[in-house]
């Protein structure tokens, strides 16, 4: 029986008791009083009856109140038990969801690690072959094409890293680099890399770099290139048979040898409504997904631009009107490159002792045939004697049978991995430097690399001067 039915029952019961009390018990008392009427006068008799009725009403009222309170407490206890059961059920659901989320994060991490390797491996071939071709005295026209190819490879690597580490980018955990570069040359490479794509849509792509822009500055050249490429690519996507202008000029000189540059990318395309401008730099919004399904792209470009600029200490603005095109612009402080103060920092290639590499015996452990060929040719140009091991088992066997001055070890290989092979080699050889030449993400694996006996790590694709510098250090025994 529900608490409402109990309440109704007790109410009728109380009313019945009240009636019985007033018209039953009270009447019998009146009979008793009639017998003793001679002893009590009329006024006292009336007062007695009134007090008796008031006491009866109060008693019944108290009984009713107690009954109602009992019912309320009973109902509250039932509701509390239900709420506790519901909370327990929700807690179980939350624990299950948490476990699912953790499992999904682990799967995501494994996927990113694998896909990073798979994407970086062909990029290594692109940058490596480009380096070899540039060194073979190409014509001026060929050199320009190769420089653009080299730039595109570097940009693609940066783009891959940022997309795969998008969660790190959101948290601001991506490192900012600082290299010397020419704004004019860098932006020319960007424009030339995108000119063909722009022409296919009937657009004119123009670049204007102000005469007061410094010839050389220091900053994160790859991230600046990525920002401009994303903005120009976005302009090309939404512009047809129109004009796209890339404009850079100096705003003012800053303290500490810095300069404030103004970047602007303007197009005569579709334009953006005020409502959509609010979510323009937020990735994976329903509006952006619909637009990108029609015009192409991942929808991450502008979101990455904003996060990269925030990482560089600035922000982006937009002015746009439907049917009248769009203008994206931002200001960026950069350090002016001073030739005199930086004269000590000459190109590291000229500082490398290539003489120590002549005749050095190096074992290249790599399962990808193209990468084997590229690394071998780069080393042979410096007089290095190279041997090849296709997998971890072959690497252990070669290291046991021959003396090497250096081992370049890939990590992801069929069978025994590079880490397992290094552990086995270290059981009988603690002298030979082993450098991981790998495409895996370094930040999450450095401790593991060194723990298994690696001497150093070179990420693929690598800059040639950094590659040879680490080889020089290893061959000179400076790690020991």
């Amino acid at each position: 029986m529900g608490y409402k039915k109990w309440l109704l029952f007790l109410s009728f019961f109380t009313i019945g008791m009240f009636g019985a009390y007033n018209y039953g018990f009270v009447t019998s008392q009146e009979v008793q009083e009639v017998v003793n009427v001679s002893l009590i006068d009329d006024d006292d008799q009336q007062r007695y009856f009134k007090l008796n009725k008031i006491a009866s009403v109060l008693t019944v009222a108290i009984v009713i109140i107690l009954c109602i309170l009992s019912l309320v407490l009973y109902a509250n206890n039932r509701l509390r038990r239900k709420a506790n059961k519901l909370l327990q059920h929700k807690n179980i659901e939350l624990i299950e969801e948490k476990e699912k989320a953790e499992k999904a994060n682990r799967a995501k991490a494994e996927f990113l690690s694998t896909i990073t390797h798979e994407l970086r491996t062909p990029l290594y071939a692109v940058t490596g072959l480009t380096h070899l071709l540039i060194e073979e005295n190409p014509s001026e026209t060929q050199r320009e094409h190769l420089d653009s190819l080299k730039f595109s490879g570097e940009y693609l690597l940066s783009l891959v890293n940022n997309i795969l580490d998008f969660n790190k980018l959101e948290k601001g955990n991506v490192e900012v680099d600082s290299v010397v570069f020419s704004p004019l040359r860098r932006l020319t490479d960007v424009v030339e890399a995108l000119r063909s794509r722009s022409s296919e849509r009937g657009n004119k792509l123009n670049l204007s770099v102000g005469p007061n822009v410094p010839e050389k500055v220091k900053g994160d050249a790859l991230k600046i290139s990525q920002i401009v490429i994303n903005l120009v690519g976005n302009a090309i996507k939404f512009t047809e048979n129109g004009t796209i202008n890339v404009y850079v000029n100096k705003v003012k000189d800053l303290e500490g040898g810095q300069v404030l540059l103004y970047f602007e990318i303007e197009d005569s395309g579709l334009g953006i409504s005020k409502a959509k401008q609010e979510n323009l730099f937020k990735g994976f919004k329903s509006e952006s997904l619909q637009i990108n399904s029609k015009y192409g792209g991942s929808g991450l470009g502008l979101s990455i631009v904003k996060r990269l600029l925030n990482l560089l200490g600035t922000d982006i603005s937009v002015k746009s009107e439907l049917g009248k095109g769009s203008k994206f612009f931002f200001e960026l402080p950069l350090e002016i490159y001073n030739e005199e103060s930086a004269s000590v920092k000459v190109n590291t290639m000229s500082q490398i002792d290539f003489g120590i590499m002549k005749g050095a015996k190096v074992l290249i452990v790599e399962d990808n045939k193209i990468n084997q060929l590229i690394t071998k040719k780069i080393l042979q140009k410096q007089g290095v004697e190279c041997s090849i091991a296709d997998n971890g088992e072959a690497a252990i066997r070669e290291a046991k049978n021959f003396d090497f001055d250096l081992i370049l070890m890939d990590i992801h290989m069929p069978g025994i991995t590079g880490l397992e092979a290094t552990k086995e080699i270290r059981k009988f050889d603690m002298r030979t430097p082993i450098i991981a030449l790998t495409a895996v993400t370094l930040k999450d694996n450095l401790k593991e690399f060194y723990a298994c006996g690696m001497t150093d790590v070179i990420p693929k694709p690598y800059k040639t001067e950094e590659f040879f510098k680490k080889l020089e250090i290893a061959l000179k025994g400076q790690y020991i």
Side-chain angles (χ1 to χ4, degrees), residues 64 107 115 124 143 157 191 196 204 230 238 262 277 288 312 332 347 357 471:
I64 292 173
I115 201 67
Y124 172 65
R143 179 173 288 276
L157 175 63
V191 170
S196 174
K204 291 182 180 179
N230 274 319
F238 297 107
Y262 172 80
Q277 287 180 32
S288 64
L312 297 176
L332 188 63
N347 186 350
M357 299 181 192
L471 262 62

Side-chain angles (χ1 to χ4, degrees), residues 120-134 146 149-157 371 374 378 459-464:
R120 287 186 177 190
T121 299
L123 278 175
Y124 172 65
V126 172
T127 55
L129 288 172
T130 303
H131 170 75
L132 290 173
L133 290 171
I134 288 175
L146 289 171
L149 180 61
K150 181 183 178 184
F151 160 77
S152 297
E154 290 175 350
Y155 161 70
L156 184 56
L157 175 63
N371 291 348
I374 293 169
I378 289 174
K460 293 191 296 190
Y462 51 75
K463 292 181 180 179
T464 311

Side-chain angles (χ1 to χ4, degrees), residues 23 29 38 75-76 83 100 111 125 175 183 225 231 280 296 350 442 474:
Y23 296 102
Q29 287 179 353
S38 59
N76 283 339
K100 287 180 182 178
F111 168 76
E175 293 182 358
S225 299
L231 291 174
L280 197 58
S350 62
L442 295 184

Side-chain angles (χ1 to χ4, degrees), residues 414-437:
I416 295 179
T417 67
L419 296 177
E420 293 168 338
T422 301
K423 288 178 182 177
E424 290 299 318
I425 292 172
R426 286 302 182 214
K427 290 179 180 178
F428 57 84
D429 181 2
M430 294 296 295
R431 178 192 63 83
T432 306
I434 302 177
I435 296 179
L437 189 60

Side-chain angles (χ1 to χ4, degrees), residues 252-384:
K252 60 180 179 180
D253 290 317
L254 302 173
E255 295 181 357
Q258 288 192 324
V259 62
L260 186 65
L261 297 184
Y262 172 80
F263 293 77
E264 179 182 296
I265 290 83
E266 183 182 24
D267 66 71
S268 59
L270 298 176
I272 309 160
S273 67
K274 293 291 183 184
K276 289 182 179 177
Q277 287 180 32
E278 295 179 3
N279 294 323
L280 197 58
F281 300 101
K282 298 176 182 177
F284 300 119
K285 292 292 179 183
S286 57
E287 298 92 339
S288 64
L289 292 176
Q290 291 170 4
I291 291 171
N292 286 289
S293 64
K294 180 178 180 180
Y295 293 97
S298 65
L300 280 176
L302 294 180
S303 178
I304 289 177
V305 165
K306 182 175 179 64
R307 285 173 170 81
L308 287 175
L309 284 172
N310 292 161
L311 191 64
L312 297 176
T314 186
D315 207 345
I316 188 166
S317 300
V318 59
K319 289 183 180 179
S320 184
E321 190 175 342
L322 279 175
K324 295 185 179 180
S326 305
K327 180 190 294 185
F328 292 84
F329 54 95
F330 60 91
E331 294 180 346
L332 188 63
L334 293 167
E335 182 182 343
I336 301 174
Y337 179 69
N338 190 326
E339 294 283 353
E340 294 179 1
S341 62
S343 58
V344 184
K345 294 185 178 181
V346 213
N347 186 350
T348 53
M349 288 291 281
S350 62
Q351 295 179 330
I352 296 171
D353 180 12
F354 288 101
I356 197 171
M357 299 181 192
K358 296 187 183 298
K361 297 178 180 180
V362 175
L363 175 63
I364 302 169
V365 186
E366 171 68 66
D367 62 310
N368 185 288
K369 298 296 182 183
I370 296 176
N371 291 348
Q372 287 177 4
L373 177 64
I374 293 169
T375 305
K376 185 177 179 179
K377 282 193 173 183
I378 289 174
L379 291 174
Q380 285 179 337
K381 279 181 175 289
Q382 306 303 329
V384 177

Side-chain angles (χ1 to χ4, degrees), residues 1-10 71 74 78:
M1 185 180 294
Y3 77 92
K4 290 183 179 180
K5 292 182 179 179
W6 273 107
L7 180 60
L8 188 61
F9 170 76
L10 285 173
L71 283 172
Y74 174 73
R78 288 194 63 187

